[in-house]
Amino acid sequence: MTAAAATAAAAETAALSAGRTFSARAMEAGSEQAAAAADPGPAAPPSGSRGLGGVGSAEALAVLGAVGRRLLWLLPVYLAGRAGLSLGFVVAGVALYMGWKGRRLGKERSLRMAGLLLSDEEGAVSSGGLGRSLGKSDLPAWVSFHEVEKVEWLNKILAQAWPFFGRYMEKLLVENITPNIRASNSHLQTFTFSKVDMGEKPLKILGVKVHNGMNKKQILLDLTVSYVGDVQIDVEVKKYFCKAGVKGMQLHGMLRVILEPLIADIPIVGAVTVFFIRRPTLDINWTGFTNLLDIPGLSSVSDTMIMDSIASFLVLPNRLLIPLIPDLHEAAELRSPVPRGVVRVYLIEAKDLQSKDKYIKGMIEGKSDPYAVVRVGTQLFTSKVIDEDLNPTWNEMYEFIVHEVPGQELEVELFDKDPDQDDFLGRMKLDLGEVSRACVLEEWFPLQDGGRARVHLRLEWLTLMSDSSKLDQVLQRNKTISSKPEPPSAAILVVYLDKAQELPLKKSSKEPNPVVQLSIQDVTRESKVVYNTVSPIWDDAFRFFLQNPAKEDIDIQVKDDNRQTTLGSVTISLSRLLSADNLTLDQGFQLENSGPNSRIYMKLIMRVLYLDAPEGCLIPRPCPPGHLNVTESAYLGSSVDKSPRPLTASPDAQFGTENVIRIHLLEAENLIAKDNFMGGMIKGKSDPYVKVRLGGQRFRSRVIKEELNPRWSEIYEVIVNDVPGQEVEFDLYDKDVDKDDFLGRCKIPLRRALTCKFVDEWLPLEDVKSGRLHVKLECLPPIPSAAELEQVLLVNSLIQTPKSEELSSALLSVFLDRAAELPLRKGSKPPNPYASLSVRGTSYKTKVASQTADPIWDEAFSFFIKRPHTESLELQVKDDGHIVGMLSLPLSQLLAAEGLVLDRWFPLSNSGPGSQILMRVQLGVLISQHSGVEALNNVAGEENGEGSQKGSETELCIREDGDSGSTQELRQRMPYAHSHSELSDSPLGQLRLTVWYHMDARKLVAIVHACRNLKSSTKDFPDLYVSLILLPDKSRVTKRKTTLRKKTLNPEFNEKFEWDLPLEEAQRRKLEAYIKNGASFMSRPEAIGKVHLDLSQMDLTQGAAQWYDLKDDKSST
């Protein structure tokens, strides 16, 4: 269908609708006329007031208006058809309108809810439980904290004065602002404020915190302000029939007020300085033509532009100065004071970032392309993008001027670079007051909303010195710092631009519009424009970083506002400040290429950046050469002295302290039915599944079809650290074709599982009417002992569920310290080495150490280990993808080591003759104390008796039932295979079985381990298998059999079988196991012997492996 056809059809529908409306109103009017004739009431209006067919003119106009509005809606469709555009343009327009409408409704709802909250704060916070979800800084003023003062008296004053403030704003906008706007542009001659209403809801101050000022002539206040106003300001340009405006606004932030200088005269305070320490949050509800700003995409841009405008004069370093006395000499210094200090931020690396790049609708998980945004106030830097890396290394350094401490914060946000919209990876914030107290702070900071992600930062607080005595020392230290993207600074320069006098006129003898450009090397700052004067007053301030003040100049150009005409210039060597008192010059400078008396007045203040820290603070933790190479040779002695090579690795105290949380997702009850049919007339069920989240790890269960009481019996494992605030979260959904329906959520604090070690609970589902979830959480601390490993492997084989990943028996922790004497590149250039470590399918990669044959990585990694006897740690050292060294470490070496730890230098293969790597490798066995399986503490003792064959160890491979060809096997080493313990005089031999009931999965489990000392009726060795039958039912449903073991009388099977049935029914069954010879293809398999077990006589809740004597197949039990 084309747009023109759609237009015709829609127009016909609108006409029919309008006709029906017209007829209905005409009939209504006719009935009213008849009623009026029958009722001898007041006189009817003159007949001339009636229109066509007796219908009043008002009704006729209303009908015509309805028809016009409907046709107006069709105008875009008609225009698209006339232009020959496809229907897609119309659909896109409708989608854009719906997005705009949704944004509008969301803003109105947000303003309405915020207004209700502020109108009754105490009731809303107390009764609704909202107070528990609010941070300290978000709570209203009636909530008391010892450092925050309540100011309800001030709020009452504001409420009383607010109407008069509204009148003042109306007078200001109409009488002062309007003429200025009209004069600024000829197209705005008809501009007017058609409505100015500041509303009835005043600004509120939620609390005031008073700080001790930096000096005795200063009072420092922090005001938490919140404005949720019903303000309405409408503007109109009548010439173009253009209307716009604002109807409702929210503004929340921390406002700092500084009262200084304090003077010994009325009004005591010389000036008030006001500014926001951090960018406030803003939400504006637009009206009229500015409604377009609520279109998705434009909305965030418009709010950002407005916030930038506010930040340009009210967010640090910008301040609003209100002088209270005339001739305030310190105005420039108060408006732009000398900074408190400089913080140097080393953005080193990040770890465990979330993967955001997914392909084929999430079926294939990629990585991320991370970059960082580092911000202090309005100062912002963006790092380079690291392609496809979840553990990126940046090695970048940034410097920020700090204006207020405490108060200002360092904020680091990480994003994944995408072609359309970048994905958020997490953020961290830190008050710079902590950095100023610590001098040097180097830590791994966890990222909020980033899962397990962390970012590695080194922060240095540089004090501002007012003399040059330490400058040479600073310059010497800066030479040892290799930084990107800019070299480190040695000083800062603050320029207070005051005024100029007697500037030359333009060529047309008109007064100029002077502007000043200040440049140091490739950095240029520009002042505001002062119009129509030869003696401008700028009263502005600028700040520059200096790398070497003794060799740099500042170039000053005074120009007309067209930037083409130069009114004068001057170049000042900054070395003059080094010899000046207090590193300050405050004077007028003669302008060159200008008038004979043209001068510019400035105040230049230099401050040297000095790391004022004790010697111990200047020694960072060992960092790789790729880590910015921050050395302290100026303080620690000659760099020629080479420290001896350590003999063991030096991990931090947190290494090897991880725990493993084993999450048992069991079942749910009474879930909500979401699959309803015929508009809800027929009730269906749901297809539930569960999403599990912990520590940045996410798991998803299988879908149970059409079940309100599903059973999953799945197990997940997560490596966790004791970080406060973590929770195990469960979200339940109903699987649908389009969008999955929400079935509820629940969560358990991780701290509880770490403390109690075991949690078994039915959790009620939140945000839904009914439903609960049964889960178990088990905390498994790694134990450095191999004595329990065989028991752990057997227990894991019993509790392993078919739908879950193979359970881990141990945790491997690796601390990679450093490498030595790696081979050089061609041309004798040092490599850029990094290491990759892998165990089975899990791999990690270290950061890259730049240009060194002796890299220091100082990184730790953890691996889940399934089968320690057969697995190995594979390590490769690479340089730009080329392997420069390898190491394969079988974990069996760890099992034989004392304390399951190896800490030493390991030689690298395929590398240089002296290439080695230093690392600490330790293994911890994961022992479950709540598996429900009998402790088999003396299994090893029983199996390794005096009569056991030496060296008798075999590999146990437990194969999942029903998949004889599967390669998924649970392997362990058991010492019982050829043991002669528990030998009997059975003439047919013995069969070893484990029979156990899995309570969580509600399944009967049988493991066929092995046979021994079997008797053969032929000279040849038989081909054997075991057949299991669960009596009394002999159907194929209850039958199981192992794979064939050829040419042996002591076969080993180690295969696992399961039957789904309740415990009560299992206890009424009998299990028969037949050992059969299947060697002949033509003949029927021959039974060598059997074992008959009456399950009612066994304790099925305890799993223990036992040897059973074989009976003749023909004998009765």
Side-chain angles (χ1 to χ4, degrees):
M1 178 186 290
T2 64
T7 305
E12 182 179 357
T13 304
L16 290 174
S17 175
R20 286 194 296 269
T21 305
F22 189 93
S23 301
R25 296 197 177 184
M27 293 175 62
E28 182 181 353
S31 61
E32 291 176 357
Q33 185 178 11
D39 185 12
S47 58
S49 65
R50 295 289 178 181
L52 179 63
V55 180
S57 58
E59 286 80 357
L61 289 175
V63 172
L64 291 175
V67 174
R69 284 193 298 271
R70 284 175 170 81
L71 291 176
L72 189 61
W73 275 101
L74 297 174
L75 181 61
V77 183
Y78 171 75
L79 292 177
R82 289 285 295 176
L85 302 177
S86 66
L87 191 60
F89 286 91
V90 180
V91 174
V94 172
L96 199 61
Y97 169 76
M98 296 302 294
W100 169 82
K101 192 70 175 177
R103 180 76 181 180
R104 290 277 302 164
L105 293 176
K107 282 191 172 183
E108 291 175 359
R109 189 183 308 112
S110 174
L111 285 167
R112 186 166 57 252
M113 295 303 295
L116 290 174
L117 174 63
L118 283 182
S119 63
D120 186 15
E121 291 173 341
E122 188 163 358
V125 174
S126 302
S127 63
L130 180 62
R132 290 187 294 272
S133 64
L134 292 175
K136 181 187 294 189
S137 61
D138 301 320
L139 289 172
W142 51 267
V143 179
S144 258
F145 295 101
H146 68 277
E147 73 271 19
V148 179
E149 301 289 340
K150 297 186 294 184
V151 287
E152 280 303 290
W153 60 271
L154 184 54
N155 287 326
K156 292 178 181 179
I157 294 175
L158 288 175
Q160 188 77 11
W162 192 255
F164 300 93
F165 173 73
R167 295 178 195 171
Y168 167 75
M169 286 300 299
E170 181 177 6
K171 182 179 179 181
L172 177 68
L173 293 175
V174 173
E175 297 182 3
N176 295 66
I177 305 298
T178 299
N180 293 336
I181 294 176
R182 289 177 176 177
S184 64
N185 194 300
S186 59
H187 297 288
L188 300 178
Q189 294 294 327
T190 58
F191 176 88
T192 183
F193 284 95
S194 56
K195 183 174 183 179
V196 178
D197 183 7
M198 297 305 295
E200 299 179 355
K201 298 177 180 178
L203 174 76
K204 281 202 171 185
I205 300 175
L206 304 183
V208 175
K209 183 176 180 179
V210 182
H211 299 274
N212 292 327
M214 299 298 293
N215 54 60
K216 294 183 179 180
K217 292 187 177 182
Q218 181 187 74
I219 299 175
L220 208 63
L221 307 173
D222 280 344
L223 278 64
T224 303
V225 298
S226 179
Y227 177 58
V228 183
D230 50 352
V231 56
Q232 183 170 357
I233 301 176
D234 295 333
V235 300
E236 182 178 0
V237 182
K238 297 180 180 179
K239 179 179 179 181
Y240 300 102
F241 303 100
C242 177
K243 294 183 178 180
V246 172
K247 185 178 182 181
M249 180 171 58
Q250 293 189 62
L251 182 69
H252 310 276
M254 177 75 73
L255 189 69
R256 175 157 290 184
V257 179
I258 302 178
L259 308 178
E260 67 171 334
L262 300 180
I263 57 178
D265 201 353
I266 298 298
I268 305 301
V269 177
V272 178
T273 307
V274 180
F275 55 89
F276 284 101
I277 297 179
R278 294 175 289 276
R279 292 167 67 98
T281 57
L282 176 70
D283 193 5
I284 298 176
N285 192 21
W286 302 103
T287 62
F289 182 74
T290 46
N291 267 330
L292 294 176
L293 296 179
D294 278 330
I295 292 177
L298 283 181
S299 176
S300 58
V301 174
S302 63
D303 288 352
T304 302
M305 291 175 62
I306 293 173
M307 279 309 309
D308 289 342
S309 300
I310 295 176
S312 66
F313 69 94
L314 265 185
V315 178
L316 278 177
N318 306 295
R319 305 166 185 242
L320 176 62
L321 179 68
I322 307 172
L324 301 182
I325 58 175
D327 301 325
L328 184 63
H329 300 292
E330 302 95 335
E333 287 84 352
L334 292 176
R335 187 177 290 107
S336 299
V338 175
R340 307 294 189 197
V342 170
V343 63
R344 186 173 288 163
V345 179
Y346 297 92
L347 175 66
I348 301 174
E349 59 184 328
K351 267 189 179 181
D352 301 327
L353 299 183
Q354 295 177 341
S355 174
K356 294 292 185 179
D357 295 341
K358 302 182 186 298
Y359 309 98
I360 314 179
K361 296 185 177 180
M363 296 177 62
I364 299 178
E365 183 168 335
K367 294 188 177 181
S368 292
D369 307 318
Y371 69 92
V373 176
V374 188
R375 179 187 293 112
V376 173
T378 58
Q379 305 167 81
L380 181 143
F381 293 97
T382 302
S383 75
K384 63 184 178 184
V385 178
I386 307 296
D387 293 329
E388 295 186 355
D389 199 339
L390 300 182
N391 300 288
T393 300
W394 289 284
N395 293 330
E396 296 185 359
M397 184 271 291
Y398 313 105
E399 293 173 329
F400 297 93
I401 295 176
V402 182
H403 300 273
E404 290 294 326
V405 174
Q408 281 194 279
E409 291 180 333
L410 168 69
E411 182 177 3
V412 180
E413 293 182 313
L414 269 64
F415 297 90
D416 167 39
K417 186 68 176 179
D418 283 331
D420 47 2
Q421 183 176 0
D422 297 345
D423 298 315
F424 179 69
L425 295 176
R427 70 162 55 89
M428 64 79 60
K429 290 183 179 181
L430 179 69
D431 193 302
L432 294 176
E434 296 186 28
V435 185
S436 67
R437 289 190 295 269
C439 301
V440 176
L441 191 62
E442 183 175 356
E443 285 188 16
W444 283 93
F445 295 93
L447 294 181
Q448 182 183 354
D449 303 325
R452 296 176 58 189
R454 298 175 295 161
V455 63
H456 187 190
L457 301 176
R458 176 183 169 91
L459 309 173
E460 296 177 351
W461 179 263
L462 306 178
T463 57
L464 306 184
M465 298 188 63
S466 57
D467 63 79
S468 59
S469 59
K470 301 284 187 181
L471 180 59
D472 291 338
Q473 188 176 349
V474 171
L475 291 172
Q476 187 66 28
R477 178 178 182 269
N478 286 354
K479 292 179 181 179
T480 67
I481 300 176
S482 174
S483 63
K484 300 176 184 177
E486 297 291 338
S489 302
I492 64 168
L493 177 68
V494 181
V495 180
Y496 294 106
L497 180 60
D498 187 3
K499 61 184 178 179
Q501 288 182 350
E502 300 185 28
L503 296 178
L505 299 176
K506 294 182 180 181
K507 292 182 180 180
S508 57
S509 299
K510 291 184 179 180
E511 291 186 332
N513 303 321
V515 60
V516 178
Q517 292 178 341
L518 304 94
S519 301
I520 296 180
Q521 293 187 348
D522 57 347
V523 179
T524 300
R525 305 274 192 264
E526 189 171 274
S527 73
K528 62 186 177 183
V529 179
V530 181
Y531 293 95
N532 303 322
T533 179
V534 294
S535 299
I537 298 176
W538 291 284
D539 198 14
D540 213 341
F542 308 92
R543 303 163 192 87
F544 297 89
F545 282 107
L546 307 176
Q547 296 170 14
N548 190 345
K551 299 180 180 181
E552 294 178 87
D553 301 325
I554 181 170
D555 181 64
I556 300 167
Q557 300 278 338
V558 183
K559 296 183 178 182
D560 194 30
D561 63 344
N562 59 12
R563 289 12 176 226
Q564 300 297 323
T565 305
T566 300
L567 303 177
S569 63
V570 62
T571 299
I572 304 171
S573 175
L574 298 182
S575 59
R576 292 178 55 184
L577 278 83
L578 297 177
S579 58
D581 185 30
N582 203 30
L583 302 184
T584 302
L585 287 178
D586 186 1
Q587 64 183 64
F589 297 88
Q590 179 68 41
L591 291 174
E592 301 175 359
N593 303 319
S594 186
N597 298 317
S598 299
R599 298 178 68 83
I600 186 169
Y601 292 86
M602 298 182 298
K603 183 176 183 179
L604 284 72
I605 301 176
M606 182 188 295
R607 292 292 181 262
V608 177
L609 303 181
Y610 180 66
L611 183 58
D612 186 13
E615 183 176 350
C617 190
L618 293 173
I619 305 176
R621 292 178 293 181
C623 61
H627 270 216
L628 292 167
N629 193 21
V630 183
T631 63
E632 305 296 341
S633 58
Y635 301 92
L636 302 179
S638 173
S639 60
V640 177
D641 300 331
K642 188 174 180 180
S643 59
R645 197 168 73 174
L647 299 178
T648 59
S650 54
D652 57 28
Q654 300 300 317
F655 173 72
T657 60
E658 303 92 348
N659 290 292
V660 173
I661 294 295
R662 189 170 284 172
I663 305 171
H664 299 257
L665 177 65
L666 302 179
E667 58 187 322
E669 286 184 355
N670 301 326
L671 298 183
I672 297 176
K674 289 289 187 178
D675 297 338
N676 300 323
F677 309 98
M678 299 182 64
M681 297 178 61
I682 300 178
K683 291 286 186 181
K685 294 189 177 181
S686 291
D687 306 322
Y689 68 93
V690 184
K691 292 181 179 179
V692 185
R693 295 193 301 273
L694 171 60
Q697 299 266 8
R698 287 175 167 81
F699 306 94
R700 176 170 169 165
S701 74
R702 70 183 192 276
V703 178
I704 307 296
K705 295 290 185 180
E706 296 184 356
E707 182 62 65
L708 299 182
N709 299 288
R711 293 188 59 82
W712 291 281
S713 299
E714 297 184 12
I715 303 175
Y716 314 107
E717 294 175 321
V718 184
I719 302 173
V720 297
N721 294 303
D722 190 6
V723 178
Q726 295 188 88
E727 293 178 321
V728 188
E729 302 177 43
F730 304 89
D731 294 330
L732 278 72
Y733 293 91
D734 166 43
K735 184 65 178 177
D736 282 334
V737 178
D738 48 2
K739 184 180 180 181
D740 298 346
D741 298 316
F742 179 67
L743 294 177
R745 66 168 52 93
C746 55
K747 55 188 175 182
I748 299 178
L750 178 61
R751 169 66 65 179
R752 184 178 170 197
L754 295 176
T755 304
C756 301
K757 303 300 181 184
F758 183 71
V759 177
D760 182 358
E761 277 194 10
W762 282 92
L763 302 174
L765 297 180
E766 302 174 0
D767 303 327
V768 289
K769 294 181 180 179
S770 66
R772 60 177 187 162
L773 181 68
H774 187 195
V775 298
K776 290 183 181 179
L777 300 183
E778 188 175 4
C779 177
L780 306 178
I783 306 299
S785 172
E788 307 290 339
L789 180 59
E790 311 302 340
Q791 173 188 341
V792 169
L793 292 168
L794 180 58
V795 168
N796 285 355
S797 69
L798 293 175
I799 66 176
Q800 176 70 48
T801 61
K803 303 298 182 182
S804 297
E805 187 180 350
E806 181 180 352
L807 295 180
S808 303
S809 61
L811 183 68
L812 177 67
S813 299
V814 181
F815 178 76
L816 194 58
D817 193 319
R818 65 186 69 197
E821 300 183 25
L822 296 180
L824 300 178
R825 292 181 175 182
K826 293 181 180 180
S828 300
K829 292 183 178 180
N832 297 318
Y834 66 92
S836 64
L837 304 91
S838 63
V839 176
R840 299 176 80 230
T842 305
S843 62
Y844 296 103
K845 187 173 70 173
T846 69
K847 54 183 154 305
V848 178
S850 62
Q851 298 184 356
T852 177
D854 300 302
I856 301 176
W857 288 295
D858 193 19
E859 294 189 57
F861 308 94
S862 298
F863 298 88
F864 280 121
I865 303 300
K866 316 296 182 183
R867 305 179 293 271
H869 293 91
T870 61
E871 296 179 26
S872 62
L873 170 66
E874 304 294 335
L875 184 146
Q876 293 181 338
V877 181
K878 298 181 179 181
D879 173 28
D880 290 340
H882 302 290
I883 297 176
V884 296
M886 300 175 60
L887 172 66
S888 180
L889 179 65
L891 299 187
S892 56
Q893 294 186 21
L894 274 172
L895 294 176
E898 183 180 357
L900 307 186
V901 175
L902 293 175
D903 189 352
R904 57 183 172 84
W905 287 92
F906 294 85
L908 294 175
S909 61
N910 298 331
S911 188
S915 299
Q916 292 180 306
I917 192 165
L918 176 62
M919 63 179 180
R920 177 184 176 93
V921 188
Q922 64 186 47
L923 194 69
V925 179
L926 304 176
I927 302 176
S928 173
Q929 303 291 343
H930 302 274
S931 63
V933 183
E934 179 184 4
L936 306 177
N937 295 327
N938 54 358
V939 168
E942 293 175 0
E943 302 301 343
N944 292 307
E946 294 179 0
S948 62
Q949 299 176 2
K950 65 178 181 178
S952 59
E953 285 189 350
T954 64
E955 187 180 53
L956 172 60
C957 309
I958 301 173
R959 190 182 301 259
E960 294 299 338
D961 181 21
D963 187 10
S964 59
S966 172
T967 59
Q968 179 185 1
E969 298 176 348
L970 304 175
R971 300 177 182 269
Q972 66 190 50
R973 301 191 65 82
M974 298 286 292
Y976 61 72
H978 297 287
S979 170
H980 291 282
S981 63
E982 301 181 28
L983 289 178
S984 68
D985 56 357
S986 172
L988 301 178
Q990 290 181 307
L991 170 67
R992 188 178 177 99
L993 285 176
T994 297
V995 182
W996 179 62
Y997 189 81
H998 197 319
M999 299 297 292
D1000 291 341
R1002 295 185 184 178
K1003 293 180 179 181
L1004 179 66
V1005 179
I1007 300 178
V1008 180
H1009 297 288
C1011 300
R1012 68 183 179 186
N1013 302 329
L1014 299 180
K1015 307 301 179 184
S1016 175
S1017 59
T1018 63
K1019 294 182 179 180
D1020 298 329
F1021 285 100
D1023 298 338
L1024 301 174
Y1025 69 92
V1026 179
S1027 175
L1028 301 176
I1029 303 176
L1030 195 61
L1031 301 176
D1033 187 4
K1034 292 189 177 183
S1035 65
R1036 294 179 60 88
V1037 178
T1038 64
K1039 290 183 178 181
R1040 309 284 191 272
K1041 72 174 183 177
T1042 67
T1043 54
L1044 195 67
R1045 297 291 185 264
K1046 294 186 176 183
K1047 308 302 180 182
T1048 178
L1049 291 175
N1050 298 286
E1052 299 173 9
F1053 300 99
N1054 300 319
E1055 297 184 29
K1056 177 181 175 181
F1057 305 94
E1058 296 178 345
W1059 291 268
D1060 289 311
L1061 70 167
L1063 176 61
E1064 296 77 11
E1065 183 178 347
Q1067 291 173 336
R1068 294 193 294 266
R1069 296 293 189 103
K1070 296 177 175 61
L1071 180 67
E1072 283 190 347
Y1074 291 87
I1075 293 88
K1076 295 186 178 183
N1077 180 6
S1080 175
F1081 177 74
M1082 301 297 296
S1083 62
R1084 187 174 181 180
E1086 173 190 358
I1088 294 178
K1090 72 174 182 180
V1091 172
H1092 183 92
L1093 301 178
D1094 187 353
L1095 302 186
S1096 64
Q1097 304 301 318
M1098 301 176 63
D1099 186 0
L1100 297 179
T1101 61
Q1102 304 295 332
Q1106 294 186 22
W1107 287 103
Y1108 297 94
D1109 294 339
L1110 295 180
K1111 305 296 182 182
D1112 189 353
D1113 181 28
K1114 299 178 181 179
S1115 65
S1116 59
T1117 303

